[in-house]
Amino acid sequence: MRRRCLPPQSFFVILLTLLWLSGCARVNFEQTLATTNQATAEFTNGNLSLVQTPEQRAFNTQTAETLLAEPLSQQQAVHLALVNSPALQAMLAEHWSDAARAAQSGRIANPLFVFERATLANEVEYERLLAVGLLDVLTLPLRYASAQRRIEQSQVRLAMDVVDKVTKVRQTWVKAVAAQQQLHYARQVNEVGEISAELAIDAGHRDGLALALLVEHDGHGLAPGAPAPEADGHAVAQAGDDIRRRHLFVHVGSLLGKGCEGAQAACCWPAL
């Protein structure tokens, strides 16, 4: 039994129709990234991109080195994460894969193509068969609409994930700056504590000296209020101690951020 072959004109019409139907749902991820950059401009500043070529990778590496050459602002930290984060690049590739699967679900299944050549005696027969599932053709509009919705959902999820990543980078930057300020403050407090300890030791030495002078006065039978033999030398030492303590108070005032007014007030403090 011999099958009848399709006319060449019908064959090409069907082939073109199938190609048109299979190309209905497509994903242009570059356009998706451009749309995401536009929708999240306050977060990405247009720097969101998927690295696909060695040239792009080299450019991002150079950009990262330039940013790391000096202290980072919050916006620079976000830019560094966008161009140099493997986790972010993996997230973009995963979203591209999800969008491609969504687009594939809206296409017609691959057609069945058969080509046969049969020889019988002096006759040669060629048979061509192109088969497409009827159910696939009938449900194509519904599957195409569903695929478009899935692609749009993928774009929305991409924008949400980008906003979440950038927000976490900003929070991390704030925490790093706060930790640096706390370290600076702790060092100031430590330095002030060391100065206070030194002042306390100095005050203890002066009290011990005063007690020794009192004992010496009593031992020599001096009248109360009479000057000690070493009174002049002790006055000079006391003046030197006062000057030294005043310098220390001025230094403490500068550490506490009081400026010149704090320094002047420190100089006017009474001697301990």
Side-chain angles (χ1 to χ4, degrees):
M1 182 177 180
R2 181 181 299 177
R3 299 186 206 176
R4 299 188 60 181
C5 301
L6 291 174
Q9 296 83 358
S10 301
F11 173 77
F12 285 111
V13 169
I14 294 176
L15 182 60
L16 292 176
T17 303
L18 292 176
L19 291 176
W20 176 77
L21 291 175
S22 63
C24 287
R26 292 184 178 180
V27 175
N28 186 350
F29 198 67
E30 293 297 330
Q31 182 63 34
T32 300
L33 290 179
T35 303
T36 304
N37 273 322
Q38 184 177 2
T40 60
E42 296 181 359
F43 293 87
T44 64
N45 199 23
N47 295 318
L48 182 65
S49 63
L50 177 63
V51 177
Q52 304 181 46
T53 63
E55 291 76 13
Q56 291 177 330
R57 186 175 293 104
F59 176 77
N60 286 353
T61 301
Q62 183 178 2
T63 302
E65 292 176 354
T66 303
L67 291 173
L68 292 173
E70 56 186 19
L72 296 175
S73 64
Q74 189 179 70
Q75 189 62 35
Q76 290 174 336
V78 172
H79 189 188
L80 178 63
L82 292 176
V83 302
N84 199 44
S85 173
L88 183 62
Q89 292 295 314
M91 183 196 71
L92 294 179
E94 183 178 356
H95 278 281
W96 190 4
S97 177
D98 293 341
R101 284 195 296 267
Q104 181 67 32
S105 66
R107 298 174 183 173
I108 196 170
N110 293 332
L112 176 63
F113 178 72
V114 178
F115 180 83
E116 295 181 358
R117 179 180 183 273
T119 304
L120 180 60
N122 295 329
E123 295 182 1
V124 178
E125 296 181 359
Y126 293 92
E127 295 184 4
R128 296 181 296 269
L129 175 64
L130 184 63
V132 181
L134 180 60
L135 184 61
D136 292 339
V137 176
L138 294 177
T139 59
L140 181 61
L142 295 177
R143 290 189 290 109
Y144 172 76
S146 176
Q148 289 298 114
R149 287 192 296 269
R150 289 180 59 185
I151 292 174
E152 293 174 358
Q153 291 175 359
S154 177
Q155 292 178 351
V156 173
R157 286 196 301 269
L158 174 60
M160 294 175 59
D161 289 344
V162 169
V163 170
D164 180 66
K165 291 287 186 182
V166 172
T167 301
K168 289 181 179 179
V169 171
R170 290 179 175 179
Q171 292 175 349
T172 303
W173 181 87
V174 171
K175 291 180 181 179
V177 172
Q180 186 177 12
Q181 293 297 326
Q182 289 177 356
L183 176 61
H184 181 66
Y185 177 74
R187 288 175 176 174
Q188 288 185 338
V189 171
N190 182 55
E191 188 171 355
V192 170
E194 292 178 353
I195 294 175
S196 299
E198 188 174 353
L199 290 175
I201 295 174
D202 180 69
H205 289 170
R206 293 194 59 203
D207 291 343
L209 178 61
L211 181 60
L213 289 176
L214 180 61
V215 172
E216 184 179 357
H217 283 207
D218 294 341
H220 287 82
L222 296 176
E230 300 297 332
D232 294 339
H234 176 63
V236 172
Q238 181 179 1
D241 291 340
D242 291 339
I243 294 175
R244 180 168 171 268
R245 285 188 294 112
R246 288 176 182 176
H247 281 295
L248 290 175
F249 281 131
V250 171
H251 184 50
V252 171
S254 64
L255 289 176
L256 296 177
K258 295 181 179 180
C260 297
E261 295 180 359
Q264 294 176 0
C267 292
C268 296
W269 287 355
L272 295 178

